[in-house]
Each structure stands twice: as C-alpha cells, then as structure tokens.
Amino acid sequence: MWLQILLVGLALAAFVLIAIEDVIHLNKAKTTLLLGTFSWLLLFIFGPMALKVDDVAEALNENLLEIATLWLFLMAAMTFVAYLNAKGLIANLIYRLLPKRIGERGLLYLTGTFAFAFSSLADNITATLVSLTLVLSLGLPPKKTLRFAVLAVFAVNSGGVALITGDVTTLMIFLAGKVRISELMLLAIPSFVSVMLLATLLLPGLGGEVTLSRERRETRRLDRIVAWLFLATIFSTLGFNVLFGIPPLLTFLFGMSIMFLLGHFAERRSDNEERRILDYIRIIEFDTLLFFLGILLMVGALKEARLLEGLAHLYELMPAMQANYLVGLLSAVVDNVPLTAAVLKADVSMNDAEWLAMTYAAGVGGSLLVIGSAAGVIALSKVREVSFMSYLRFFPALLLAYSVGYMGAYWLGSQVTDTPMSMPLTLISLQQLVS
C-alpha cells in the first residue's frame, strides 16, 4: 500500500514540475526522466510479492518496446523537419503562398489554414515556432497580434490530430491499435471546421490591410529533393499502412535512410563546407524525446502497480463520450501525453467512433488554456502580448470551437466506421485488388 501511495506522489510531483517548468527553469525532461526511472526501480526492489522480478522485467521490456517505436518514428520525422527548416525551405514556402498585400480578416483565415496544414506534417513545436514567426513579422498592434497567436495555437493543435506525423498523442493511440490511418484522416474535416469557426469568432476588431515582406533564401537542388522525399515518405507511410499493414516506423526510417544516402553522394561532389546531412539528426529536440521517455515510463509503472484502474472507473460512471470530453478539458491543465498514456494503459473499452473522439479531445483540449499544450507554452514565451490572463479571455470562443470539433469527430466517426475493417469501401476494394 505504501508503495502505491509513493508512486502516485511521484506522478503528482512530475505533473506539478511540468506545470511550473517556466517558473523554476528546470527542464521537464530532466524531472520526468528522473521520476519515471525511479518509479521502476521502486517496483523492482519493493514490488508486491505477487509481482515477481521476472514479471516486472517483462513488463518493463514491453513498455520500452512501445517507447522505442514512438521514439524512432519521432526522431526520423524531426530530422527531416530540422533539415528543411535549417535550409530555409519552410520559410520559402510561406513567402510563396502569401500574397504581397492582404486584408487582416483574410490573413487571419490564411494563418489558421497554414498552421493547421503545416502541423499535420511537422511536429507541434516546429509548426508553432514557424507560425508565430509569421505572426510576429506582421507588425500588428498588440490586441490583434494576440488574436493571431491564439488562433495559431489552436490551429497547430487541431492540425496534428489527423495524421500520425502531426501529434504525439495521435501517434500513441495509433500505435496502440485503437484507430487506423484511414479513420484518422477523417478527423481533418471537423478539426478544420473548428479552426475556421474560431477564426470567425476572432474577426471582430480586424479590418485593415497588411503588407507582407518577402525574403526568400537560395536553396540547393539537394534541398528541394529532400523536401519532395519528405512528402513522398509521408504519403507512402499512410498508403503502405492502409494497403499492406506496414508499420509507419519502417517506412519513415527507410525514407530517412534515402535522405542520408542522397546527402552522402551530394557531399562527395561538393567542395562546400556545410554541415553534413547526417549531422541534422543531432540538432532535433532530444529534450522533448527524453520527456516522452520519462512520462511513459512513469505511466507504465503506475499501470503495473494497478493504479490506473481508477481511470477506467470514470468510463464506467459515465458514457465514453462524456468521459473523453472531460479528458480533453483536463488536458488543458495536465499534459496530454501522460493523460493519453494513462487512458491507453487503463485498457478502456471503446468503439472506433469513441476512440476517434478521444484522439481529437487529447490533441485539441490542451488549447483551452495557454499552459495546456506545447504550442501554448511556446506562444507564452515568444509572444509578448500572450499571458495566462490575456489568453483566458478567449476561453469561451476556444471552448465552443473545441466542442464543435469534438462532436463533429464523433459524428463523422460513427457514420463511416461501421464498414468492415473500419475502412472506407474504396480502400477495402483497393486492398483486395492489390492482394
């Protein structure tokens, strides 16, 4: 009994340290990794007599396998994005898409669309940084900058839920076998509708015109080839998984290996002393990966100590639709990664439509408060006009957009996931044809 109380205390301490990271200036990767590994050490040394050492070791190995799959996939995706961002491909894309002059209202919709689309391909941190850089370059008055930043945070979180490349909680739910890629892509519809709804709610007060500066960087042929390779890898990952059941990790590692080979042959023919393409794997956000490692280790330890059964009771007390909605609201206060991991480890029984709604709630619910997601925390640190209270002013609009998106995710999922294999009929026929 004392061990269970101690493990819960460690988990609560980890959540508090995550929430006050910017106050104490202690990286959450350090604290969660410390407390996560310490939890497993306690299980090995003081575990219940019914839980043998071999059982704990087997559980740890299973947990590490899940984490390794997540880690390697994120590492491959982040390496692609780190290279393209460093070479200016992402900035060039922004300047190519944006007109020279545009009204503030049209620009608000365009900003939401760009943040939504880009976050589907890149990780949330990169997508937020790029989107906020665009917002800050507009030179708008503080009140208007705040509206653009709020929309960017919500759009980044919304865009990531439809693809496994866009949000870590979506990837976690997919890897657990709860949803399929063909189902996840459906989430793009209600997610985008909710972003456009929020943009409409933020329109009052906007009405002027903005002149956009256009600064394009020169890029090499290799850089453009890698950009096309990145897109091809994403679409191949989705297609191969739907048609042949190939794990996304395998396809992404294959694409990354092609990128490294392209860089090797290009560097042999060039005298330009630039950073080697393989070196970009060293500049990705390893602190983010270590944070995921620590959190997932901690949640795994809580499961082995049978402490997640209480979360399953929530789904017994109320319908899954209501419980998932509350989990989304809770993710505005508690980090969505451990919340999602806890729901998965609790082995809650839900149908496909309910899991799709859970995916949306876990990915977007954190947008309701500025401290509820990585995108919000970045906005808090990068945009002077964003504070906890200034962001809180938009809570009613954010809650309405979240609720509409959540209901849309469930409704759409319930309409199309009744087909065999939970796949659209066209994909079923195509798979049978290929087979």
Side-chain angles (χ1 to χ4, degrees), residues 7 10-21 24 26-40 63 67 71 286-301 334-335 337-338:
L7 290 176
L10 292 176
L12 292 176
F15 292 153
V16 171
L17 290 172
I18 292 170
I20 64 174
E21 176 188 12
I24 63 177
L26 182 59
N27 193 302
K28 61 186 177 183
K30 300 174 183 177
T31 55
T32 52
L33 186 59
L34 171 67
L35 297 176
T37 51
F38 185 52
S39 298
W40 279 96
N63 208 52
I67 295 171
W71 244 65
F286 275 101
D287 56 342
T288 301
L289 295 178
L290 289 173
F291 164 67
F292 294 150
L293 172 60
I295 278 295
L296 295 176
L297 281 173
M298 178 171 297
V299 174
V334 179
D335 193 278
V337 173

Side-chain angles (χ1 to χ4, degrees), residues 5 16 160 168 210 216 223 253 262 311 334 350 356 394:
I5 295 175
V16 171
V168 66
V210 178
R216 296 189 59 186
D223 304 333
L253 289 178
L262 289 173
L311 184 61
V334 179
M350 291 190 281
L356 281 178
F394 298 94

Side-chain angles (χ1 to χ4, degrees), residues 25-97:
H25 303 293
L26 182 59
N27 193 302
K28 61 186 177 183
K30 300 174 183 177
T31 55
T32 52
L33 186 59
L34 171 67
L35 297 176
T37 51
F38 185 52
S39 298
W40 279 96
L41 289 174
L42 292 174
L43 273 180
F44 271 98
I45 299 172
F46 303 107
M49 295 301 295
L51 197 63
K52 299 178 181 178
V53 172
D54 290 343
D55 295 333
V56 178
E58 183 179 353
L60 177 60
N61 288 335
E62 292 177 359
N63 208 52
L64 289 175
L65 177 61
E66 296 175 5
I67 295 171
T69 303
L70 176 68
W71 244 65
L72 291 172
F73 182 91
L74 291 174
M75 179 198 69
M78 292 166 76
T79 301
F80 267 111
V81 174
Y83 177 84
L84 296 176
N85 194 37
K87 296 299 181 180
L89 267 296
I90 295 174
N92 285 354
L93 176 63
I94 296 174
Y95 293 126
R96 175 167 297 198
L97 294 176

Side-chain angles (χ1 to χ4, degrees), residues 75-396:
M75 179 198 69
M78 292 166 76
T79 301
F80 267 111
V81 174
Y83 177 84
L84 296 176
N85 194 37
K87 296 299 181 180
L89 267 296
I90 295 174
N92 285 354
L93 176 63
I94 296 174
Y95 293 126
R96 175 167 297 198
L97 294 176
L98 294 179
K100 189 173 182 179
R101 288 184 63 84
I102 186 174
E104 289 177 349
R105 296 191 168 195
L107 184 58
L108 185 68
Y109 284 112
L110 194 58
T111 301
T113 302
F114 169 78
F116 177 89
F118 186 60
S119 66
S120 298
L121 306 178
D123 61 278
N124 281 3
I125 295 176
T126 302
T128 306
L129 288 172
V130 173
S131 300
L132 291 180
T133 299
L134 170 63
V135 170
L136 293 174
S137 69
L138 301 176
L140 296 171
K143 291 185 178 180
K144 294 181 179 180
T145 298
L146 177 61
R147 292 174 181 267
F148 276 82
V150 169
L151 179 63
V153 170
F154 187 84
V156 164
N157 288 327
S158 298
V161 300
L163 290 177
I164 57 176
T165 53
D167 190 271
V168 66
T169 54
T170 299
L171 179 60
M172 290 167 62
I173 295 172
F174 167 77
L175 292 177
K178 304 301 183 182
V179 292
R180 295 176 175 85
I181 285 179
S182 56
E183 297 168 347
L184 281 174
M185 289 189 287
L186 299 172
L187 289 180
I189 300 173
S191 298
F192 185 70
V193 169
S194 66
V195 171
M196 292 297 100
L197 172 61
L198 180 61
T200 303
L201 295 173
L202 296 176
L203 284 179
L206 302 179
E209 276 198 344
V210 178
T211 301
L212 303 174
S213 59
R214 310 179 73 85
E215 301 176 3
R216 296 189 59 186
R217 289 177 53 180
E218 292 296 326
T219 57
R220 299 180 300 169
R221 183 166 175 262
L222 171 64
D223 304 333
R224 295 189 292 274
I225 292 175
V226 171
W228 285 111
L229 174 63
F230 179 48
L231 292 176
T233 300
I234 291 174
F235 291 122
S236 298
T237 297
L238 304 178
F240 287 168
N241 181 266
V242 170
L243 295 175
F244 308 111
I246 297 175
L249 170 61
L250 184 61
T251 309
F252 242 92
L253 289 178
F254 180 72
M256 185 177 67
S257 67
I258 295 176
M259 179 179 71
F260 290 155
L261 285 175
L262 289 173
H264 172 76
F265 292 117
E267 287 153 6
R268 286 181 59 185
R269 294 194 298 266
S270 175
D271 296 329
N272 196 352
E273 295 185 2
E274 292 187 359
R275 182 195 297 269
R276 293 184 306 145
I277 199 168
L278 184 61
D279 291 341
Y280 286 90
I281 201 171
R282 300 186 178 96
I283 65 172
I284 62 178
E285 296 90 353
F286 275 101
D287 56 342
T288 301
L289 295 178
L290 289 173
F291 164 67
F292 294 150
L293 172 60
I295 278 295
L296 295 176
L297 281 173
M298 178 171 297
V299 174
L302 293 176
K303 178 195 176 186
E304 294 309 313
R306 308 180 70 85
L307 290 169
L308 296 183
E309 295 176 355
L311 184 61
H313 293 329
L314 174 65
Y315 287 82
E316 296 173 358
L317 295 174
M318 62 180 65
M321 271 293 292
Q322 297 178 20
N324 287 334
Y325 185 83
L326 290 179
V327 167
L329 297 181
L330 186 58
S331 71
V333 181
V334 179
D335 193 278
N336 61 352
V337 173
L339 266 182
T340 304
V343 173
L344 292 173
K345 294 290 185 182
D347 199 22
V348 176
S349 177
M350 291 190 281
N351 60 35
D352 290 349
E354 289 165 346
W355 275 114
L356 281 178
M358 169 62 193
T359 303
Y360 179 88
V364 183
S367 307
L368 298 178
L369 296 178
V370 73
I371 61 171
S373 66
V377 172
I378 291 172
L380 190 63
S381 61
K382 298 292 183 182
V383 183
R384 184 167 51 87
E385 292 80 6
V386 175
S387 65
F388 183 86
M389 295 307 297
S390 67
Y391 192 94
L392 190 62
R393 287 170 39 209
F394 298 94
F395 181 82

